[in-house]
Amino acid sequence: MFTTIYNTAIAATATSLLLIFTQCSSNLTGDLDIEYEGDRITVNGYLSPDSIRLTVGKTVNFYNRSYSPEELIASNAQVFLLNSTGEVLYELNSPDRVTFSIPNPHLIVGKNYFVKVTATGLTDIKSTPILIPEFVPLDSIAQTLSEPLGPNSNEVALYFSDVPGENYYFTSLGVTKNNLRRNAITGIIDDQINQKCYAIGAFPDECFQSSAATLRYGIQKNYQFNILYEQADSLILRFGAVSKELLELEKNRPSDNEFIEGINEPPLTYSNITNGYGVVFAQNWLEYKVPLK
Amino acid sequence: MLVAQSPQVIISGFIKDTESGENLVGATLQLIGSEQQGTTTDNFGHYSIPLPKNQATRIRITYFGFNPLDTLILSDQDINMDFGLTGLQLRTVDIMANPAGTLKHNIVQIPVERLKAIPTLFGQPDLIKALAFVPGVSTGTEGTTGLYVRGGTPDQNLLLLDGATVYNASHLFGFQSVFDPSAIKDIKLYKGGFPARYGGRLSSIIDITMKEGNNQQHKGEVTLGLINSSLMLEGPLQKGRSSYMISGRAAYLGILLLPTWFSSRKNEDKPFNTMLSNDFNIKINHEFGNKDKIFGSFYWGDDQYVTRYKEEGSAISTDLKWGNRTASLRYIHSFGSRCFSNTLINYTAYHLKESYKKSNPQQLTDISFLRESNIREIALKQQFSINLKPKYLIIAGFELIQHEFNPDNIAFRSATFNLDSLATTSQKFTPLNTAVFVENEWSPYTWFTVNGGLRASFFNNQRSYRYIEPRINITARHRTTSFNIAYSRTAQFIHLLANNSLGLFSDLWVPATSKVAPQLSDQISGGIIFKSTKLNLEGSVEGYYKKMYHQIDYQQGIDFFSPGNFDWQQIVATNGKGRSRGIEWMLKKETARYNGWISYTLSWNERQFDEINKGVWYPFRYDRRHNLNITTNYNLSQKWKIGANFIYQTGARITLPSGVMQNNTDYANYDPFLQTNTFSQSFYVSGRNNQKLPAYHRMDLSLTKSFHSRKKHRPSQLSFGVYNLYARRNPYSISVGSSLDPLTNTYKFGGSSRALFVFIPSIAYNTHW
C-alpha cells in the first residue's frame, strides 16, 4: 500500500515538476499590446533674468516599432513667453527647430511667467506659472585637503545666507583639467542634509535651519581622461536659486530600476506642462571656479 | 400583505449528521407551505425558529448531500430539539433550492464538497481560490490566493479559522491557500451588509470552520496530489460525546529536491533549491449534555524557500520563511431555548523572515540582508444570542484583542560599501483593540426582517482611535423573491503595506499609528434574489458602492531595498481614498445530476493619494471592468463526473512608459558638466496604472471517477484535470526592453509578458475509510 502511494507520489511530482519548469522557463509572449495616448508637445529648459533656453519636441510611440530621432521634432513649433496676465512678451527664436532662446529678456525677479508652445497637428501646451527667484550669492568657499574622504580628496564648504521666504537652491559641481570639464566624483558629507534632502542637486528651503547656511562636499581629484586617471586642477561649481520645478524634476529623476517589477514603484514623469510634457523652471545662479589643493 | 400573527413559540437546537455526529453548518429549515419562513443553522449547527403555538407545523430540513427530513412539530412552549440528517448514497432526487426565507444577501455560503469539485491548479482543491468564482470577487496575479472583494484589497479580508485571524493564507508563493480542504467543514464569505458581530476589516469576512471529527466511528481520508498530499484522521474520544480530527498536509517538492542538497554539499558549485510547505490541523470537542459544548482547535503552517548557487564567482544564498499559528478554545452554552452563549479565546501568530547573502572572497564582496516581521495576538470574544420574543433576536457581545506588531526588523551588512552593520529595529507596537456590539434582528412580519446593529471599536497605539460603526440590513420577501438593502461602516486598524508589483517580499502588516490612521469604509448595497423551484434555478442581481478612507501605499519611486527606506512610516503615502462600485449577476442551477453557476460582475475601482499621480484619481491595479465566471459539474453516471470552469477578467492595470520624449534633464543643459548636448531621449510615464494588460481568461476541465476499493466502505476518487485547457498565455510578469531590428539596424522597444501556467494537466487520488 505505502509502496504504491509512494511510487504514485514520486511519479506525479516528477511529472508536475517537469511541467512546471518547462512552462515557467520560457514563455515570453513578445508583443504586448500597449496603448499610446497620441503625440504631445514637449518643452524643457529654463528662464533666467538674462537668458532663456528651451528645447521643444514631441512624444513618440516607441512600442513595437522603430523610430528615428527626427520623429521627436515638432513641426513648425512656435514658442512664446507670456507674462502673468497672459500677454505675449516674446516669441523665441530657433536656429534648428529644437532649441529656442532669446537674448537678455530682462525677466523680473519675483514675477511669474508662462511658456506657451504651438505646433502643427498638435494640441497647444502651456506651462504652469514660473517664478523668477531672487539671486543668492555664495558668501565664501572654504577648501581643505581631506584624506579621510579618500586619496587626493578635497572638502569644500559653501557658505551662503538663506534669504527669508520659501527658497530653493541648486548646486552643480565639476572639475577641470586644462580647461576640459568633467563631472566631479562628489558627495555631500553633511549627514543632516543627506537624510533630509536626499543629497540631490536641488535643495528645498527646509534643508537649512538658519540664515547662515552651509553645504559641504567631498570631492575626489581623480579625473578620468582617455581612460587614464589624472589629477584635476580646478573645481567648477554652479550655485544659486531656482524655482520649485527644478526641485521636483530632481526629486523625480527616473532610476535605473524604474521598470523592474518588484524593485520599486514606478515614478510618474514630473511635468509642469498642461496638455504636454516637460519641465520649464527658473534659475538665478552663478558659476564659480576654485583651484583644487 | 399584513397578516394577523398568532402566538408563537421558539424551537431551537442543533442539526447533525447522524453518521458522524457533526453539527451541520448552513442547514436549512423551512416551514412547508410557507416559502417565506425559514432559517439556516449558524457556524455551530445551531438554529432557532419561531413557530405557531399549539399548531401542528410541518418543517423540512435540507442540507447539500443529505436526504431531506420532514417533521411535524406541535408545542405550547419553547423547546430544544436536535435533528439528524442522513447522507445521500445515490443522488436520485433533485436538491430543492433554498426557500425565500433563507436566501442570504451579501453572503456566499457554498458547501465545501461543492467547492472541492471546482477544478483548480495542479488538481488540488482550494477553497479560497474557489471563492473567486462568485460575483464581486476577483483575483490578483495568476494562480495566487489573494482575493479582491468588491474593490477591496486582500488585507481587507478578515480570514477567520475557528474564530482566529489568519494573516497570510498563502502557501508556495500564493499558488495554494493554507486551508487543507480535508480538514474544513464550512466556509462562509460576507461581501457586505456585515453583521455588527464582525469587525476589523473593510471588505469581507471569510469565516472558516474546521471539521469537528466523527463522534461515532474512526474514519480517515488520504489525498494524493501533484504538489502535496494530505492525511486526515477523525473519530470518537467518547462515542457520541467527544471527537477528534487531526490532519496534516505537506508539499513534497523539498523531498524530491533533496539530491541537489547532497550534490551541493559535495561540490559547492552545484546549485541547491528547496521549497517546503506543511499544514497541521487538530480539533477536539466534547459535549456536556445537550446544553454545553467545548471545542479546541489548533493550526500550524509553514513555508520555506531556499536557494544556494554561484554566479560569477560569488556564492549567493536566499532564504525565505513564513508561517501562521492559531489556537482557539471555544465554549458554547444554551440557556434554555432562547439564549445561546459563545465564548472564544484564541491566539494567532504570523512570522516572515527573508535573508540574502552574497560573498566573493576574491572581490572582497560580502553583502548580507536580513528582514523579519512578526505579528502576535491574543483575543477574548464573548457573544450572546437572545430570542427576547419570537420575532426579536438580539446578538450582543464584546471583543478584546491584544496585538503585538514587530513589522520591520532589518540588518544590512556590506563590506563593499564600508557598512559594517546597518541594523534597524522598527518600533514594536502593542496596541489593544476592543469592541462592543449589539445586533437586533426584528421580523414584524414573515415577509420582512430588519437587522440593525452598532459596533463601537477602540484602538490604542500612540494615539486613541474610537469609531461607531452602524450596520443595517433590511430584507423583504415576496413569494420566491427576496429584496435587500444594506449599509455598513467598518473600521480596520491594521494595514498591509504591499508592493504594487510582486507580493510577499515587501509586504508588511503594520498597525495604525499616530501618523497612519485606521482604514474606514462605507458600503451600501442592494439587490434581488429570486428562485424557481420548478426549474431548480436561483438568480441574483446585487449592486454596491463602497468608499474607503485612510488608505496607504508606497510613495512614488520608492526603492524597497535602499537602506534609506527601511522605516516604513517614512516611505508611505497616507490618507488615500478609494472608491468602487459594481453590479453583480449570478444564475445558479442545482439538480441531482447537474450543478453550476454563471456569475458576472461589472465594476469600477479607483484610488486617490495627494502624493501619487499628482493627486488625481487613478485606476486600482485590479480594476477589472468585466469579470465572468462559469463553473459546472455534471454527473455522467454514478461513477463518472465531469467539471469545467471558464473565467474571463479584464486585464490588470500596470504602470509602464507611455512613450518616448526628449530627455528632460540633459538637453535642457542646466547642468554644465553632463556634456550630453545631444538629442537624447527618455521614457515618460503619464500616470499611475496607465496601461491595461491583456484580458485574463482560461478554461479548466476535470474528470472524476468514483469507485469503491476491494474492501467495502472505502469510497475513492481518481481525478484528472487540465488547468488552462487552451493554453492561453495570461501575463504573469511584464517587462519593457529593446531588441535590435536587423532590417533597419535600429533598436526596437517592446513590452513583453511572461506567462506562468499554460496547459497544466493534473492527477489526484482521494480515498476515505
Side-chain angles (χ1 to χ4, degrees), chain B residues 377-418:
Chain B
E377 68 182 41
I378 187 158
L380 169 66
K381 299 172 187 176
Q382 175 63 51
Q383 180 183 312
F384 293 99
S385 306
I386 307 161
N387 268 102
L388 280 182
K389 292 178 181 175
K391 299 169 194 168
Y392 194 44
L393 170 70
I394 288 184
I395 298 174
F398 66 86
E399 281 181 16
L400 296 172
I401 306 173
Q402 178 66 59
H403 298 277
E404 182 186 295
F405 290 90
N406 239 325
D408 211 1
N409 295 320
I410 288 170
F412 181 76
R413 185 174 175 276
S414 168
T416 315
F417 301 110
N418 294 322

Side-chain angles (χ1 to χ4, degrees), chain B residues 540-579:
Chain B
S540 64
V541 181
E542 292 192 313
Y544 66 90
Y545 182 76
K546 181 158 67 177
K547 290 185 87 167
M548 293 167 274
Y549 312 95
H550 306 314
Q551 303 294 287
I552 65 170
D553 202 345
Y554 282 112
Q555 289 169 4
Q556 282 182 172
I558 288 296
D559 184 340
F560 303 120
F561 299 109
S562 167
N565 294 335
F566 290 161
D567 182 358
W568 64 271
Q569 292 198 80
Q570 300 300 321
I571 58 172
V572 292
T574 56
N575 287 327
K577 298 187 191 84
R579 61 186 181 201

Side-chain angles (χ1 to χ4, degrees), chain A residues 12-13 17 23 25 27 29-30 32 35 44 55-57 60 62-64 172 238 250 253 263-265 269 277, chain B residues 226 252-253 256 500 557-558 560 657 660 662 664 667 670-671 684-686 691 729 749 751-754 758:
Chain A
T13 309
L17 275 177
Q23 297 294 334
S25 58
N27 278 322
T29 55
L32 183 68
E35 292 173 12
N44 291 290
T55 59
V56 172
V60 169
F62 69 101
Y63 285 110
N64 306 322
S172 175
R238 191 172 271 188
E250 287 285 336
R253 263 182 193 268
I263 300 299
N264 64 2
E265 291 290 320
T269 301
Y277 295 95
Chain B
L226 277 182
Y252 27 71
L253 281 170
L256 289 177
N500 275 341
I558 288 296
F560 303 120
V660 72
Q662 291 171 23
N664 61 1
Y667 201 64
Y670 68 87
D671 187 333
Y684 71 95
V685 180
S686 58
Q691 296 287 350
R729 291 179 180 276
F749 287 84
S752 57
S753 66
R754 189 175 287 270
V758 181

